[in-house]
Amino acid sequence: MALTLADRRHKWDVKLSPFGFVSPYFLIFGVFGLFPLLYTAFVSLQKRNLLDAEGAQFIGFGNYEQLLFHDPYFWNSMGNTVSLWLLTTIPQILFALGIAHLLNRRLRGRMFFRMGMILPNITSVAAVTIIFAQLFGRDFGLVNWVLSWFGAGQVDWQAGTASSHTAIAAMVVWRWTGYHALIFLASMQAIPSSMYEAATLDGARGWQQFWRITVPLLRPQIIFSTVIATTGNMRLLAEPLLFNPGTAAATGGSDRQFQTAALYLYEQGFTKYDFGYSSAIALILAVATMLVAGLSYLVTRRIQTD
Amino acid sequence: MTTVLTPAAPAPPVTPGRTRRLVRRVASPWTYAALIAILAGSAFPVYWSFVVSSQTTEAVGSVPPVLVPGGHLFENIARVFDETNFALALGNSVIVAGTITVSVVLFSTLAGFAFAKLKFRGRTFLLLLVVATQAIPTELGVVPLYMMMADFGWAGQLQAVIVPGLVTAFGVFFMRQYFERALPLELLEAGRMDGCGSLRLFWHVALPAARPAAAVLGLFTFMQAWNDFFWPLVVLTPENPTVQTALSTLASGYTTDYTLVLTAATIGTVPVLLVFLLFGRQIVGGIMQGALKG
């Protein structure tokens, strides 16, 4: 029995069409996503300047040696990244838990409140940072005006390490807390009230119930949010870049007091055009991100479940 | 931009013999007070940016700071369009975000459909590859990507921003999850019986069924593409900006006109704000069930 033309066409259709359907993704991602990523490793072993493409030289681990052992600016930027990681991740998670707890009640205008919490997250990082830079201005900033009620002096937020980190952390926390709160809220709503009733019978009150029932049951979401916040923080760039725009933008302040590692990568690659060095920073940052994300995973995994 | 999925919500133990009631405590006035305070904090910076854009430049430097809108909004908007190339930036952002949204939704639906409902060699492996690539921050490949764009002669042009954004791993995975649940196999078999080829099956059966998920994916893709900052900053020039890179250029002048900058920031926020007001319910729902991150 010979196959008819239609049968044969059907056979080929079933066999090949799926590959046709997935190929746009793999083609575009392969060329513009995966290839650059792998090529970074190669570029990082070169002395390579954008303006002198012919003069690219293979120098092995020279860039890494320079970065790790002879470059205080790199370590300064890593230190700033870690400092901002601590200042952003912990408040984000704690505030988000609190807000989710408030939202997890019988509430009029539920959708209105939820939308309000997520509003910061939909605004662009560029707009947010420019607005916050104004709020944290030294002479006419709103934050300093409010502080003056309490007799606090005029803080020059951009000038110091601690003050600039606080201001940048405020932007990040403001932008992301509502997002995490909604994630927490979703799983809070799945906790049956019988668990709280039982706890009430056992004599546990509000706060105890929150820490002993709600938080442990949210462990998977807390782990997720912490890892997300961590990886997001490790590539913090727009906030420090736009916090003090002008000539010292890419250096993160006049004294590099708030230059993050991602911003240092940008400075080396796209203001000094040192592509080899910049690629080496990218790879070290990737490894550091995995380490820090792994660390925060381990810490959050220890949330008590009894 | 990375997109990640949450692990599934924990399945709380259900006491046997008892119905699983989800009676929540009624909110007290204190709850409302606290929530309204938080809401005010959330909205304030955006509101304040609007306030400044409706004031004169002199009013910005006043102590105490201005807290209510003035009457100079349209004047300032006119100034933004007269004195800067913000109109070009807006047009560029519309082109970039629009193209990326259509393309991501189309290709994700196509691939998601294949992964969920069609059988082919290496399907599991390829899907695993998609999931794995979600975790990789694209910032890492930014230097070679720039070199490629320079080689293509695309540096400074919109296609340098558009083309790498045409597909996302998250989109493929998101649509795959949806099809897996929402598209019954019987429907596809019936289509096959009627002699539909795979492409017609996709177009006439899968695509209409995918509409709700495709809409959510489209919303998020649009907002992310509109707000994207780092890659456009690297590859575009101040002469041919998107809204976000135009803002950074405006803010980094030697003497910055803050009214102008904040008016531009306000204008640049309006499109996402509109999307948000129209589809807030879906956006909030998408975050609560799928955990999307820009």
Side-chain angles (χ1 to χ4, degrees):
Chain A
M1 237 175 24
L3 287 168
T4 64
L5 189 64
D7 283 342
R8 215 173 300 162
R9 199 163 12 132
H10 175 73
K11 211 178 125 200
W12 284 110
D13 174 43
V14 169
K15 231 178 166 173
L16 293 180
S17 296
F19 290 105
F21 288 6
V22 298
S23 58
Y25 171 75
F26 284 103
L27 273 175
I28 298 173
F29 178 76
V31 175
F32 296 101
L34 202 58
F35 171 73
L37 222 53
L38 300 176
Y39 201 66
T40 304
F42 175 69
V43 178
S44 77
L45 302 176
Q46 289 183 323
K47 188 173 171 55
R48 180 168 194 151
N49 194 294
L50 169 71
L51 308 174
D52 179 23
E54 304 301 307
Q57 252 182 303
F58 186 82
I59 53 163
F61 289 96
N63 286 324
Y64 293 95
E65 201 201 319
Q66 175 68 24
L67 266 174
L68 294 174
F69 303 111
H70 309 289
D71 188 347
Y73 289 163
F74 171 69
W75 287 110
N76 168 60
S77 71
M78 287 301 270
N80 288 340
T81 307
V82 170
S83 155
L84 283 166
W85 171 57
L86 290 172
L87 283 172
T88 56
T89 312
I90 299 166
Q92 258 179 89
I93 302 297
L94 290 180
F95 290 155
L97 276 171
I99 292 174
H101 187 59
L102 287 174
L103 286 171
N104 189 29
R105 312 217 168 153
R106 262 200 287 170
L107 213 58
R108 274 169 201 284
R110 218 172 306 140
M111 193 39 81
F112 173 73
F113 284 114
R114 287 180 191 174
M115 280 172 67
M117 299 304 154
I118 205 70
L119 174 70
N121 195 239
I122 64 144
T123 42
S124 84
V125 66
V128 166
T129 311
I130 289 167
I131 296 168
F132 268 75
Q134 274 305 292
L135 293 173
F136 281 103
R138 189 190 59 189
D139 298 321
F140 307 112
L142 209 78
V143 176
N144 275 347
W145 178 63
V146 172
L147 284 180
S148 69
W149 301 345
F150 304 100
Q154 295 285 70
V155 181
D156 189 349
W157 292 95
Q158 274 97 344
T161 306
S163 59
S164 62
H165 288 201
T166 310
I168 292 171
M171 301 178 206
V172 177
V173 172
W174 177 78
R175 193 141 172 269
W176 285 103
T177 299
Y179 166 83
H180 293 297
L182 288 191
I183 304 259
F184 293 156
L185 175 65
S187 27
M188 267 185 198
Q189 300 199 323
I191 302 174
S193 56
S194 57
M195 297 202 60
Y196 293 107
E197 283 158 21
T200 311
L201 288 179
D202 290 344
R205 308 241 154 255
W207 273 107
Q208 271 179 318
Q209 290 189 4
F210 180 68
W211 287 112
R212 301 242 167 166
I213 300 173
T214 316
V215 172
L217 281 174
L218 289 186
R219 193 170 70 153
Q221 277 64 43
I222 296 176
I223 294 175
F224 168 79
S225 281
T226 311
V227 172
I228 286 294
T230 302
T231 49
N233 171 77
M234 293 303 279
R235 43 171 208 268
L236 210 60
L237 177 139
E239 290 90 344
L241 180 70
L242 290 173
F243 183 47
N244 188 18
T247 42
T251 55
S254 50
D255 207 17
R256 295 176 190 270
Q257 62 273 34
F258 51 93
Q259 185 178 46
T260 57
L263 189 54
Y264 192 50
L265 181 163
Y266 174 76
E267 185 200 357
Q268 291 300 323
F270 297 99
T271 67
K272 302 203 165 144
Y273 305 121
D274 193 341
F275 276 9
Y277 205 55
S278 183
S279 297
I281 300 172
L283 274 181
I284 295 179
L285 191 56
V287 173
T289 305
M290 281 189 281
L291 285 177
V292 180
L295 184 71
S296 43
Y297 170 75
L298 288 178
V299 172
T300 37
R301 219 183 45 166
R302 294 179 65 91
I303 293 171
Q304 214 178 341
T305 38
D306 37 23
Chain B
M1 296 282 119
T2 317
T3 26
V4 195
L5 286 162
T6 50
V14 179
T15 330
R18 213 188 229 190
T19 42
R20 188 162 163 267
R21 277 180 304 136
L22 295 174
V23 186
R24 272 184 289 282
R25 275 157 296 178
V26 181
S28 69
W30 287 112
T31 310
Y32 285 104
L35 282 173
I36 286 167
I38 297 166
L39 203 66
S42 290
F44 182 75
V46 179
Y47 166 78
W48 186 76
S49 164
F50 167 72
V51 167
V52 173
S53 43
S54 65
Q55 296 281 356
T56 58
T57 309
E58 294 74 54
V60 181
S62 65
V63 178
V66 285
L67 290 173
V68 286
H72 300 267
L73 179 64
F74 294 103
E75 199 178 298
N76 287 326
I77 292 175
R79 232 154 49 81
V80 168
F81 287 107
D82 286 346
E83 293 172 26
T84 73
N85 55 356
F86 208 68
L88 175 68
L90 272 171
N92 282 344
S93 278
V94 168
I95 294 170
V96 167
T99 318
I100 287 178
T101 303
V102 171
S103 157
V104 165
V105 170
L106 181 71
F107 288 142
S108 301
T109 314
L110 205 56
F113 172 60
F115 275 124
K117 296 292 165 183
L118 303 177
K119 288 200 173 64
F120 55 100
R121 245 170 191 286
R123 182 170 86 154
T124 321
F125 170 74
L126 288 177
L127 183 64
L128 212 66
L129 201 64
V130 174
V131 176
T133 54
Q134 274 194 148
I136 307 169
T138 42
E139 281 89 341
L140 293 180
V142 81
V143 163
L145 193 58
Y146 182 85
M147 286 162 36
M148 283 170 73
M149 295 305 171
D151 279 349
F152 294 171
W154 288 3
Q157 296 184 31
L158 290 189
Q159 62 261 43
V161 179
I162 294 172
V163 176
L166 289 178
V167 295
T168 61
F170 172 76
V172 174
F173 190 69
F174 183 80
M175 291 313 296
R176 187 248 174 206
Q177 295 301 85
Y178 181 77
F179 277 128
E180 191 81 352
R181 271 180 293 124
L183 189 60
L185 268 177
E186 294 81 37
L187 210 61
L188 295 171
E189 276 158 16
R192 288 262 187 227
M193 296 292 237
D194 292 343
C196 273
S198 300
L199 201 60
R200 281 185 60 192
L201 218 51
F202 170 74
W203 198 255
H204 292 294
V205 182
L207 206 55
R211 226 178 278 158
V216 173
L217 179 62
L219 290 176
F220 279 94
T221 308
F222 177 82
M223 293 200 304
Q224 275 174 17
W226 185 271
N227 287 337
D228 194 14
F229 177 71
F230 182 44
W231 176 240
L233 175 75
V234 166
V235 81
L236 294 180
T237 55
E239 290 75 43
N240 189 30
T242 61
V243 166
Q244 312 306 332
T245 60
L247 286 181
S248 91
T249 311
L250 271 179
S252 57
Y254 282 93
T255 49
T256 310
D257 181 341
Y258 288 111
T259 315
L260 199 70
V261 178
L262 288 170
T263 306
T266 307
I267 300 171
T269 310
V270 167
V272 273
L273 216 56
L274 279 180
V275 169
F276 182 64
L277 289 175
L278 288 172
F279 303 102
R281 196 172 284 274
Q282 280 87 336
I283 290 167
V284 167
I287 287 170
M288 283 182 66
Q289 43 153 299
L292 299 113
K293 181 180 165 108

